[in-house]
Amino acid sequence: MRKFIWGLVIVAVVAVFGGRAWYLNQHKENSDNVIKIGLLSFNSGMYADLGIALDNGAKLAVKEINANSDTKLQLMIEDGKGFAKDAINAFHKLDTSKMDVMIIAGENQVPPVAPLIESKRIPTILTSVGTLTFMKNNKDKFMFLVNPSAQSTGYAMGEYAKKELNVKTFGILSVASAYGQESAGGFIQGMKEQPAIWEKYKETDLDSRAQITKILATNPDGVYIVGYGSGYTNALNQIKEQGYKGVIMSDYTISGQEAQENVKDKAGIFFAEADSRNNSARLNRFLNAYRAEYNKDASYHARLGYDSIYIIAEALKNSNNIKEGLEKIANFDTFSGKLTFNNDGTPNFPVVIKQMQPDGTAKVVKE
């Protein structure tokens, strides 16, 4: 009988410490109480300035948190360059460093790395909106999107256009990417109608007049233009230049720095974005700190990097298991509004409709 009891004790001890050893191996904790964060960014190529801004935002957040916490964060950055092969190589470098959690920037870097995230079981923050195709395959829920999804903002804009703007026929001009596809798809779902025409452009296009002419030939009540890069700003300028008098709609990109600098006439354009009206105090603190640290203004991508680190820190407060901690996040303050994750890892941000004003500001027209 004693042998049996001692056998049970030994089994229990092995189970406890064996389970702990498994957990330590899975989450790669270490005795120095350091959490290793891998950031798969894009620091070279056409949009290097966006990736570097995201990196800088993340670095600033790590600096702030480490100054006020016993648990230290170590940020490890690798350049995926925005291409599949380079993104995979960058992932493997980070994985070799035994990261506890990862951040991936850039919609072109998510597709090749998503299967590796699942197989390695690494909790991962995604900052790019064109990721829903891969979130659907997020079976074990290791991916968490922290940017308002293109589909959700597109849906909100489409629903508002149908109900409030009396748009019945419409054309779409979208960037040829997963982001453009998802945003336009969400708009169509919100309208509950098919577009009269759907044209696409590349983010580097200088001239979209041919596509715009085709769209305007259908005499639409409204045109939904979504995207990024010079192709986006040129398309907005060119539809205004052609004298279109119908409703022009877009998403949060219209309020960004690039559009502010390059779109000549934004007045009257409607767009949907996450409701961030209650974060002004936090935003102002960040903007001042970023300017002091880097001697430049913080872009939207810098805010994403900063937010991503603080979301990870909040997850660590919730649980020693980062994945479980991310799942428990509820009504957490971010620059995109109050964040709660849905069951599939997508964010449940409240969305508002705004309209650009002649002075360049945006006014909320629908909560």
Side-chain angles (χ1 to χ4, degrees), residues 50-280:
L50 304 183
I52 292 171
L54 189 141
D55 299 350
N56 287 342
K59 290 176 184 176
L60 178 59
V62 167
K63 180 180 179 180
E64 292 177 356
I65 292 169
N66 284 347
N68 298 285
S69 175
D70 293 332
T71 299
K72 302 303 180 184
L73 306 180
Q74 178 184 347
L75 185 64
M76 306 176 297
I77 302 174
E78 289 292 338
D79 183 11
K81 303 179 183 179
F83 298 104
K85 181 179 178 180
D86 297 295
I88 291 172
N89 289 336
F91 173 88
H92 287 306
K93 287 182 181 179
L94 292 170
D95 188 46
T96 301
S97 300
K98 298 183 178 180
M99 58 185 163
D100 299 291
V101 59
M102 183 169 63
I103 302 168
I104 300 183
E107 64 177 340
N108 294 330
Q109 302 191 143
V110 174
V113 175
L116 298 173
I117 294 170
E118 289 290 322
S119 64
K120 296 284 187 175
R121 303 177 71 80
I122 299 173
T124 301
I125 299 293
L126 307 180
T127 68
S128 300
V129 293
T131 57
L132 290 190
T133 301
F134 306 96
M135 297 298 288
K136 291 177 182 177
N137 297 322
N138 193 20
K139 298 176 183 177
D140 296 324
K141 214 166 68 173
F142 278 90
M143 292 186 286
F144 297 82
L145 178 62
V146 299
N147 207 349
S149 74
Q151 186 181 54
S152 66
T153 52
Y155 182 92
M157 188 66 256
E159 189 175 52
Y160 182 79
K162 185 179 182 69
K163 293 181 179 179
E164 307 294 338
L165 299 177
N166 199 32
V167 172
K168 296 178 181 177
T169 61
F170 63 97
I172 293 176
L173 180 59
S174 71
V175 66
S177 71
Y179 160 45
Q181 188 76 22
E182 289 177 8
S183 181
F187 185 84
I188 292 169
Q189 290 174 5
M191 281 289 300
K192 295 180 174 60
E193 301 284 349
Q194 291 298 311
I197 187 171
W198 182 350
E199 291 288 317
K200 298 180 181 180
Y201 64 89
K202 296 178 182 178
E203 65 266 29
T204 55
D205 281 354
L206 299 178
D207 191 347
S208 293
R209 291 181 180 87
Q211 295 97 311
I212 292 171
T213 298
K214 290 180 183 178
I215 292 172
L216 298 188
T218 68
N219 194 30
D221 298 324
V223 177
Y224 185 60
I225 302 179
V226 64
Y228 47 80
S230 57
Y232 173 75
T233 56
N234 287 327
L236 285 171
N237 285 330
Q238 287 158 11
I239 192 170
K240 286 272 190 174
E241 290 168 2
Q242 292 199 30
Y244 179 61
K245 301 300 182 184
V247 181
I248 300 176
M249 297 157 288
S250 190
D251 70 355
Y252 74 93
T253 313
I254 187 63
S255 63
Q257 184 176 354
E258 185 175 18
Q260 290 290 336
E261 294 174 353
N262 296 302
V263 179
K264 299 173 184 177
D265 179 12
K266 297 178 288 294
I269 298 175
F270 293 89
F271 66 101
E273 69 175 8
D275 187 1
S276 58
R277 289 174 294 171
N278 295 323
N279 67 22
S280 57

